[in-house]
Amino acid sequence: MNLTSILVKRDVLSSEQAQELARGGESCVSQRVIDGNFAREEEVLQALAAEFGLEFLDLTNFTVDRNLLGSFPSGELFRRNMLPIDVRQRVVRVATHDPLDLEGLDELSSLSGFVLEAVLACREQIAKHLKDNLGVGGGTVRELMDRSSDDDNISASNDEDGNLDDESQASSVMKLVNELLLEAIQLRASDIHLEPDEQGIDVRYRVDGILRSQPMPPEIHRFRAAIVSRLKIMAKLNIAEKRLPQDGRIKLTVAGRDIDVRVSIIPMLHGEGIVMRLLDKSRSKFDLSLVDFPADLVAPWNKLIRRPHGMVLVTGPTGSGKTTTLYSSLAEVSSRDIKIITVEDPVEYQLRGVNQIQVQSKIGLTFAAGLRSILRHDPDVILIGEIRDHETASSAIQASLTGHLVLSTLHTNDAPSAYTRLIDMEIEPYLVASTVEAVLAQRLVRRLCPSCRQSYSPNPEELPIDFARFVVATKQGRRQQPLFRAVGCRECYGTGYSGRIAIFELLPSDAELRQLCTRSASANEMKNYAVSRGFRTLRQSGWNRVLDGQTSIDEVVRVCAEE
């Protein structure tokens, strides 16, 4: 009986689904069932376990026996995706996702010297335990260790050039670097940090804005120089230069997805530190509806980005989603009868129908210089990547005064501070007052995982004071709705969060605010006036997300300062 028939017999598949699968042949049936969403992997494996008389294990909360794990060749465990579970009467139970991989079991038994008994478990659970305990690329590092045991061609202290005399070793280092990149992409990481220290190299991934240490084999420090050299080659950088910072770019294709990797290398005390920013172009859909503005901000923002002139600013720290908001806004207003030109550093994503200029400071093409030149190209809408200095701010002000809509970003903690920041850049207060139409401040908070979020009733004493006041002020009885907190499950890799969502504060300029700006009032004065007129702060926007069950109180407290 073939696998398809077994799954039909066990009511995992219907006859129609079986006929559809039969067109693809008998090979990899179980994986095609899972990939095609015909059934969940647990259902498939439980059916096969019952048919073959095997045990199915859920490894979600399983604790790996490291001593037992160390008795097996790590390279073969990774290659076969098998995990030793325990020893029973001199027989080792080994978890596998493929009950028909008898060749793999025989080979692992021969290499380890143990008698093996197969049990079934989900592919991702096995892979996660291997990575957590042996590190990402553990099998590849073991291969490198075996090949370099007789002749140490690679070491952090002796081989500063990172040269690889053995071609097989070079290919293994390439494989190791690829595994690091692939793991980061699978985890939806935005950045990879490779940080040298006295012991070797520390690897961390930034996922949903939080840096997460990545388990690595301890032997990886021996190949630090080789890893750095490989990344330099991929980014087309000078591998001989170790004293100066370098920036480069790597273009990857992973499972048909285009990934753009921006590489920054800086010499540090114990070697060269590397940060790689991962930009997944396939996931970058610039649609204003996906920005998920609160309902009361949608109409005002749409009106602002369609103004014929003036300046609209978006503020927030690095990584707060400013670029996504602006790109989505440009996509919303883009049409054949509007000319849009941007000046950016760097150009992160290419927008259809938008003329984009890459800043090149080394040859004098700065934000200000680019802005002066593009005014002669008759634009309707101008996007300036960032206002950093007086020259750029002055040029942006002049562009907005001469009949252009200028969109830009600024680094301030909140919306009212944007007005005072421009004045600090030596822009006349009356010019700031007459040109700035609105300021949008934003942050990103992590979204609660829908699969495991848990409702709870906190003690009133545990709640932030301003949250309790906000609930009372809304006067909508919303406090009776349940609050949710993070728990952690397999879907969210145990973090309790999956993805991020933005919180906003929008401060439009009115006559009184312009008067305050003209007389150089402080940011606090402007904020107090705005609040008196119904201005919703970032933290209050966060409380709304909490009451809607989208994020947690702890997450808003982490991201937003107390007011």
Side-chain angles (χ1 to χ4, degrees):
M1 183 179 288
N2 59 36
L3 288 180
T4 308
S5 302
I6 292 171
L7 296 177
V8 172
K9 172 187 170 184
R10 297 283 174 177
D11 295 324
V12 176
L13 292 178
S14 66
S15 300
E16 293 77 13
Q17 290 173 328
Q19 289 175 3
E20 184 177 342
L21 283 167
R23 300 188 190 105
E26 182 60 21
S27 63
C28 301
V29 168
S30 59
Q31 194 58 43
R32 284 191 285 123
V33 169
I34 298 163
D35 293 343
N37 293 320
F38 292 102
R40 293 184 299 111
E41 186 176 14
E42 290 90 338
E43 295 173 332
V44 173
L45 292 177
Q46 286 170 355
L48 296 179
E51 184 68 25
F52 296 133
L54 301 175
E55 186 178 357
F56 172 79
L57 297 179
D58 182 357
L59 302 181
T60 302
N61 299 313
F62 176 70
T63 301
V64 174
D65 183 341
R66 286 179 172 267
N67 292 329
L68 179 62
L69 188 65
S71 302
F72 287 80
S74 57
E76 193 62 23
L77 291 176
F78 273 101
R79 190 165 73 88
R80 297 289 185 178
N81 199 47
M82 293 182 176
L83 178 70
I85 300 297
D86 53 29
V87 181
R88 293 182 176 180
Q89 298 178 347
R90 297 184 179 180
V91 176
V92 177
R93 294 197 303 163
V94 176
T96 175
H97 68 280
D98 184 0
L100 301 182
D101 188 11
L102 302 179
E103 180 186 344
L105 287 168
D106 288 342
E107 189 171 347
L108 195 60
S109 176
S110 175
L111 291 170
S112 64
F114 290 106
V115 176
L116 304 183
E117 176 186 319
V119 296
L120 298 186
C122 292
R123 175 196 293 262
E124 288 186 3
Q125 290 183 345
I126 297 173
K128 183 179 185 303
H129 282 299
L130 289 175
K131 290 173 185 175
D132 288 348
N133 290 275
L134 297 175
V136 176
T140 306
V141 170
R142 176 49 55 189
E143 289 176 16
L144 281 167
M145 290 292 294
D146 292 342
R147 288 170 180 167
S148 61
S149 57
D150 297 330
D151 180 16
D152 265 341
N153 289 320
I154 320 166
S155 73
S157 56
N158 299 326
D159 185 11
E160 289 301 324
D161 291 332
N163 293 320
L164 300 175
D165 295 335
D166 191 313
E167 188 176 336
S168 61
Q169 286 181 332
S171 64
S172 293
V173 171
M174 291 168 59
K175 181 181 175 184
L176 176 59
V177 170
N178 289 343
E179 287 173 352
L180 285 172
L181 291 167
L182 185 61
E183 177 71 6
I185 292 167
Q186 290 174 342
L187 289 173
R188 298 178 291 102
S190 60
D191 301 86
I192 304 173
H193 293 243
L194 304 179
E195 302 163 332
D197 55 30
E198 258 186 311
Q199 283 71 39
I201 188 168
D202 186 26
V203 179
R204 295 192 288 174
Y205 294 160
R206 188 178 295 279
V207 181
D208 291 335
I210 303 295
L211 273 176
R212 180 190 303 176
S213 291
Q214 190 64 31
M216 299 298 298
E219 299 87 358
I220 196 172
H221 72 272
R222 299 188 58 192
F223 312 103
R224 181 176 67 190
I227 292 170
V228 173
S229 293
R230 173 59 187 161
L231 286 169
K232 284 183 176 180
I233 291 169
M234 293 174 70
K236 297 180 174 61
L237 300 176
N238 183 1
I239 64 172
E241 180 56 73
K242 302 178 184 299
R243 301 165 301 169
L244 297 173
Q246 296 188 71
D247 293 316
R249 211 162 196 163
I250 302 171
K251 291 185 178 181
L252 303 174
T253 301
V254 179
R257 294 154 52 195
D258 290 331
I259 310 292
D260 195 15
V261 184
R262 289 186 357 226
V263 183
S264 175
I265 301 178
I266 298 179
M268 297 185 179
L269 183 62
H270 297 290
E272 292 176 283
I274 302 177
V275 174
M276 291 176 279
R277 168 65 56 89
L278 306 178
L279 303 173
D280 188 345
K281 296 181 179 180
S282 65
R283 293 177 56 194
S284 303
K285 297 179 180 178
F286 299 110
D287 185 336
L288 205 53
S289 63
L290 300 178
V291 174
D292 202 3
F293 275 109
D296 59 336
L297 295 189
V298 174
W301 183 253
N302 272 287
K303 187 176 179 181
L304 283 167
I305 60 177
R306 287 174 171 82
R307 291 186 64 88
H309 55 75
M311 186 156 62
V312 178
L313 299 173
V314 180
T315 76
T318 301
S320 60
K322 301 187 299 294
T323 300
T324 299
T325 298
L326 286 174
Y327 275 17
S328 299
S329 300
L330 290 182
E332 180 73 16
V333 302
S334 179
S335 66
R336 295 297 299 169
D337 55 353
I338 291 179
K339 180 157 186 173
I340 302 173
I341 303 182
T342 73
V343 188
E344 305 170 66
D345 182 23
V347 175
E348 294 188 1
Y349 300 99
Q350 296 180 23
L351 298 177
R352 188 176 182 83
V354 176
N355 302 277
Q356 297 172 274
I357 299 173
Q358 168 76 54
V359 166
Q360 299 185 57
S361 302
K362 292 180 180 179
I363 59 173
L365 181 53
T366 60
F367 280 114
L371 186 53
R372 285 194 300 270
S373 298
I374 64 177
L375 289 178
R376 293 191 285 273
H377 275 243
D378 188 30
D380 297 294
V381 179
I382 299 170
L383 169 65
I384 304 171
E386 183 185 345
I387 294 178
R388 298 175 178 173
D389 50 37
H390 167 76
E391 190 179 10
T392 306
S394 179
S395 298
I397 292 285
Q398 292 302 317
S400 64
L401 287 171
T402 53
H404 304 88
L405 176 63
V406 178
L407 306 177
S408 188
T409 68
L410 202 61
H411 286 292
T412 62
N413 291 328
D414 56 16
S417 299
Y419 295 88
T420 56
R421 176 64 55 84
L422 289 173
I423 294 172
D424 290 342
M425 289 181 181
E426 300 181 356
I427 302 299
E428 292 292 340
Y430 74 90
L431 288 175
V432 176
S434 61
T435 56
V436 176
E437 300 295 337
V439 181
L440 179 76
Q442 69 178 75
R443 298 287 189 280
L444 292 176
V445 294
R446 290 182 292 172
R447 191 193 298 264
L448 284 168
C449 174
S451 300
C452 67
R453 68 175 188 168
Q454 183 182 77
S455 62
Y456 75 112
S457 298
N459 294 326
E461 297 79 15
E462 297 175 353
L463 298 175
I465 295 174
D466 59 324
F467 175 68
R469 289 174 181 166
F470 176 76
V471 172
V472 173
T474 57
K475 297 179 181 179
Q476 296 174 5
R478 298 183 68 183
R479 183 60 187 89
Q480 279 66 44
Q481 292 179 299
L483 298 180
F484 293 88
R485 60 186 169 193
V487 178
C489 66
R490 193 177 70 186
E491 298 295 325
C492 59
Y493 300 98
T495 63
Y497 298 94
S498 179
R500 290 188 288 178
I501 190 171
I503 55 176
F504 303 94
E505 63 179 31
L506 178 62
L507 180 58
S509 298
D510 61 13
E512 181 61 29
L513 192 64
R514 294 185 198 277
Q515 284 293 329
L516 289 171
C517 184
T518 300
R519 61 182 178 84
S520 300
S522 68
N524 279 336
E525 288 181 80
M526 294 185 191
K527 183 175 182 178
N528 291 336
Y529 163 73
V531 169
S532 71
R533 298 295 300 271
F535 171 68
R536 180 188 295 163
T537 64
L538 279 169
R539 194 147 160 132
Q540 290 171 341
S541 178
W543 297 145
N544 263 331
R545 299 290 195 193
V546 170
L547 292 174
D548 289 339
Q550 295 173 310
T551 191
S552 65
I553 290 177
D554 291 342
E555 186 65 7
V556 174
V557 170
R558 180 185 70 84
V559 171
C560 298
E562 188 173 355
E563 296 173 351

